Amino acid sequence: MASNATQYKDLTPAAKLDKATLNKMVWLSCQLQASFNYERMQACGWLWSMLPGLQKIHTNKEDLAASMTHNMEFFNTHPFFVTFVMGIVLSLEQQKADIATIRSVRVAAMGPLGGIGDSLFWFTLIPIVAGITAPMAMDGNIFGPILFFIIAFGVEMAIRFWLMYWAYDLGTSAIGIMTKNAKELTRSASILGVFVVGALIANFGGGTQFGINIPNGESVISLQEKLDTILPCMLPFGLTCMCWYLLSKKGWKPIQCILLLLVIGIVGCAVGIWAGDYTALIPVPWHA
């Protein structure tokens, strides 16, 4: 059976894939997670993306069946970096390497890319782009979301195409080049991401302020002004630290933190804790 094959029947190296086929596979890779499931993760999307190349490499139907079978095994990597793994595996498939080697290389290549991709994209690029374009959208500028899409999608596709050609040309040697400084790259991107997220908290969370005014004779003392003299944006910083503590130390789920913030916001508005253009439902003495 094809699933038990350890090597291909036709061991003659195939011709190099043309640019049209490689480009087609890059576009197909955008659907990597369309059939995501908890048994094989991205395996269906992976095979769908690889199929045009595999069909040209394996003219023997039994070899094609064997290749499709082992390429349907568990697969999970960063979706923007998947073409790096595709290029390496296609290079091995073209050389008709034994199936065990192709499996091992596929697993070895997909793992490190998850951490690198998360640090570079979800923790760095996307927050930076969103921080630039979100204020434009909030001001009613339609160019805000358009610019976000152009930058984010443009960078994503440029990386997909570059990694496909680079990895396909280098073959297995690309793994060593890519992962040589992976730890330092991931750490640097993570540090930059922390700074960006911190700036976003201060920028967008700065509107969360205390509306408590404490009577002091003929005048009042603003609690928010006193806090700002100690540390500006202390309140959003404190709420962020609270969520971090609940998520990392107490094992809370994100949805639980969201519900808690909703309760804090609604109850706080009801009794007049938060500043804003509304009328508290329950009058309290500190709003004198």
Side-chain angles (χ1 to χ4, degrees):
M1 293 179 65
S3 59
N4 296 325
T6 57
Q7 64 179 20
Y8 297 118
K9 294 183 179 296
D10 182 4
L11 297 178
T12 304
K16 198 166 185 177
L17 295 174
D18 57 278
K19 290 186 177 180
T21 302
L22 293 176
N23 291 341
K24 182 178 181 180
M25 287 188 288
V26 171
W27 285 107
L28 289 177
S29 71
C30 295
Q31 303 179 45
L32 178 69
Q33 302 192 103
S35 298
F36 186 93
N37 61 81
Y38 287 106
E39 180 185 0
R40 302 189 182 189
M41 297 293 184
Q42 302 164 341
C44 292
W46 164 263
L47 178 58
W48 170 254
S49 306
M50 291 283 291
L51 198 53
L54 296 179
Q55 289 174 327
K56 288 199 171 185
I57 290 172
H58 299 292
T59 55
N60 183 295
K61 291 185 176 181
E62 292 186 17
D63 287 349
L64 178 60
S67 179
M68 291 176 64
T69 299
H70 77 75
N71 275 291
M72 262 297 291
E73 295 173 351
F74 178 91
F75 184 85
N76 189 39
T77 193
H78 194 281
F80 294 177
F81 278 7
V82 66
T83 51
F84 174 81
V85 190
M86 290 174 64
I88 296 172
V89 172
L90 285 170
S91 177
L92 293 174
E93 294 277 5
Q94 178 190 328
Q95 298 301 318
K96 303 295 179 70
D98 63 276
I99 293 175
T101 299
I102 298 176
R103 284 171 169 168
S104 300
V105 170
R106 184 172 62 237
V107 172
M110 74 180 184
L113 296 182
I116 297 175
D118 287 346
S119 299
L120 291 177
F121 287 97
W122 306 144
F123 302 151
T124 305
L125 175 67
I126 298 302
I128 291 175
V129 177
I132 296 172
T133 57
M136 299 170 60
M138 294 170 67
D139 291 338
N141 190 341
I142 188 62
F143 192 63
I146 295 175
L147 182 62
F148 176 86
F149 175 79
I150 291 174
I151 296 176
F153 185 70
V155 172
E156 171 194 344
M157 293 310 300
I159 289 178
R160 284 181 188 266
F161 276 98
W162 176 69
L163 286 178
M164 170 64 89
Y165 283 93
W166 181 59
Y168 182 60
D169 289 337
L170 292 180
T172 54
S173 61
I175 298 178
I177 298 174
M178 187 71 175
T179 59
K180 181 179 179 181
N181 299 310
K183 185 177 180 180
E184 291 77 8
L185 178 64
T186 301
R187 177 173 173 78
S188 300
S190 298
I191 292 173
L192 177 60
V194 168
F195 277 103
V196 172
V197 172
L200 292 176
I201 291 170
N203 187 26
F204 294 103
T208 304
Q209 298 182 347
F210 282 118
I212 300 173
N213 296 314
I214 303 172
N216 183 27
E218 296 182 356
S219 62
V220 294
I221 299 174
S222 172
L223 178 59
Q224 184 62 48
E225 291 181 1
K226 292 298 181 181
L227 291 177
D228 287 341
T229 60
I230 301 172
L231 178 66
C233 298
M234 180 185 289
L235 185 55
F237 174 71
L239 291 172
T240 303
C241 290
M242 178 193 71
C243 291
W244 171 82
Y245 176 77
L246 293 174
L247 289 168
S248 62
K249 302 298 183 180
K250 294 298 183 180
W252 278 40
K253 296 180 180 179
I255 187 66
Q256 291 176 299
C257 289
I258 293 173
L259 292 175
L260 177 61
L261 291 174
L262 283 174
V263 171
I264 293 174
I266 293 172
V267 173
C269 288
V271 300
I273 293 177
W274 311 126
D277 187 16
Y278 66 92
T279 302
L281 300 178
I282 305 173
V284 287
W286 59 62
H287 270 272

